[in-house]
Amino acid sequence: MVTFLPTRPGRLADVPSFDRAIGGAESNVACVLAAAGHAVRWVSRAGTDGFGDHLVETVASYGVDVRHVERDPERPTGVYFRTAGDRATDAHEVAYYRAGSAASAMSARTVDLAAVRAGRVLHLSGITAALSGGCLDLLRQLTAPAADRPVLSFDVNYRRGLWGSGGGPEVLLELARRADIVFVGEDEAEEAWGVTGGPVAVRALLPEPRVLVVKQGAAGAVAFVSGEGEGEGESEGEGAGAWAPVAAGGAAADRHGPARGPAPVRGTPAASASASASAGTFEPAPVVDVVAPVGAGDAFAAGFLSGILRGLPLRRTLRLGHLFAAAALTTSADLAPPPARDTADRLTVLDTGRWERLRLGPGWTEADPAEEEVRTP
């Protein structure tokens, strides 16, 4: 979609003007991954209007291959407006205008499936599943077990308001259980599926994905990996990490059984980050001076996938996700370029004490925070 960002705080009714940008879960991930040096293709649909021109040209400017974006002369490009506040608060407002948009008309008939499946990793989002029946059918087809299916990455991205009368939690659980890599917030899992007990309880609900990343907000994230060991060596060749699903010969799609019902899972109450690390790999997030939280989840997914594609060890891959998220958190737009690779690499290998003292503020990606931003409280 095309995004309109307010020029000052306040209600949508009171904001006099907006700055134009772009937004969208999968397109955000695509742009950040391309900016990080990976070969990325974005497959979608946009109108033939001026907003569609702006959207496609902007995504392409990040280095993303947009040749398989279909332009629809009969449907408009979706747009949305938001206030400057945190979308998690009651004061935050978002106005979506994408009903009947070109993107909502995606289906197995209107999308080049061969182009979608040609990559090493296919990244999908639960938001797309909510746009229309055709979009949901498309995601079900793409996540179905198949010999030619690439490694499948799925960000749950539960948005209650997109699902109308319901059905969203069940659908998202079905799709997540068919994926190889899944991203979900701890609070998001509780809201969608009634899961309490922290990351371990989320893993109990989702044992099927090879890699499950449970995000815990400012505290950090826990990664659960099944199969081979975590591969904590320092190999950095493309796809060299033994723990990563890309390196393990692709998606074992046929291992996924039928989806089960989303019954709430009750684990031990108030599981802490340190306790959850006993069953997974916990990596704390650096302290970030937040400008706006929108887009951080997409940036985290892009950073984590970048680490997988580069074959980095698991802890460095988690740190890369945190750093990419910090780049988004310290800007006002939904989409922010990631830190330069040499800068990110220096930060991901900091010792534990220096990493935990790391503090990142606005503009940090334009400087080298390896020394300047590491501060002792």
Side-chain angles (χ1 to χ4, degrees):
M1 295 174 295
V2 170
T3 307
F4 288 92
L5 309 174
T7 53
R8 66 173 177 80
R11 302 183 308 155
L12 286 178
D14 301 327
V15 175
S17 59
F18 297 80
D19 292 326
R20 185 184 61 178
I22 65 169
E26 293 91 342
S27 58
N28 285 346
V29 173
C31 289
V32 175
L33 275 171
H38 298 282
V40 184
R41 170 181 293 161
W42 181 53
V43 181
S44 188
R45 290 174 59 82
T48 55
D49 48 26
F51 287 148
D53 293 342
H54 172 69
L55 174 62
V56 175
E57 290 167 6
T58 302
V59 172
S61 72
Y62 282 84
V64 177
D65 177 359
V66 297
R67 290 174 296 174
H68 296 274
V69 176
E70 296 290 336
R71 304 299 298 273
D72 190 330
E74 298 180 358
R75 298 177 179 86
T77 303
V79 300
Y80 85 96
F81 297 77
R82 68 170 173 85
T83 52
D86 184 342
R87 68 167 38 144
T89 68
D90 292 337
H92 181 73
E93 296 175 77
V94 178
Y96 288 106
Y97 298 95
R98 60 182 175 188
S101 68
S104 70
M106 286 190 294
S107 71
R109 298 183 304 277
T110 61
V111 168
D112 186 340
L113 297 180
V116 173
R117 294 181 174 128
R120 295 169 65 198
V121 176
L122 169 60
H123 181 71
L124 304 171
S125 164
I127 291 176
T128 298
L131 296 182
S132 67
C135 286
L136 176 54
D137 289 343
L138 173 63
L139 262 64
R140 282 181 165 144
Q141 182 164 336
L142 293 174
T143 59
D148 64 343
R149 198 185 85 173
V151 171
L152 185 67
S153 168
F154 182 70
D155 194 338
V156 172
N157 264 327
Y158 177 56
R159 301 287 185 269
R160 184 189 297 272
L162 292 178
W163 290 95
S165 59
E170 292 86 353
V171 167
L172 295 175
L173 188 60
E174 170 197 343
L175 296 174
R177 283 177 167 158
R178 298 165 76 170
D180 300 290
I181 306 165
V182 172
F183 302 93
V184 65
E186 182 178 11
D187 55 348
E188 183 180 31
E190 181 175 359
E191 181 183 6
W193 303 315
V195 179
T196 61
V200 173
V202 181
R203 183 55 162 173
L205 181 68
L206 282 168
E208 297 89 350
R210 171 91 186 275
V211 180
L212 172 67
V213 181
V214 181
K215 297 172 289 183
Q216 297 182 290
V222 179
F224 299 89
V225 181
S226 61
E228 291 91 341
E230 293 178 0
E232 288 297 332
E234 288 303 317
S235 172
E236 294 192 20
E238 288 291 318
W243 71 273
V246 172
D254 58 355
R255 75 182 184 278
H256 304 300
R260 298 183 294 272
V265 173
R266 303 296 172 186
T268 55
S272 65
S274 59
S276 66
S278 64
T281 299
F282 172 75
E283 191 62 31
V287 176
V288 178
D289 298 327
V290 177
V291 174
V294 181
D298 300 329
F300 180 94
F304 192 88
L305 292 175
S306 178
I308 284 180
L309 290 167
R310 293 180 58 200
L312 298 183
L314 180 55
R315 287 193 180 277
R316 289 189 63 191
T317 298
L318 282 164
R319 287 186 176 188
L320 203 59
H322 289 320
L323 292 173
F324 279 38
L329 289 168
T330 50
T331 63
S332 59
D334 289 20
L335 179 60
R341 180 171 290 193
D342 59 347
T343 298
D345 284 350
R346 286 197 295 273
L347 294 177
T348 61
V349 297
L350 290 175
D351 62 57
T352 300
R354 294 183 71 203
W355 173 261
E356 291 179 350
R357 292 194 298 271
L358 188 63
R359 181 163 189 155
L360 303 171
W364 74 271
T365 58
E366 301 170 8
D368 180 4
E371 296 297 334
E372 295 88 335
E373 296 289 346
V374 177
R375 305 167 186 166
T376 302

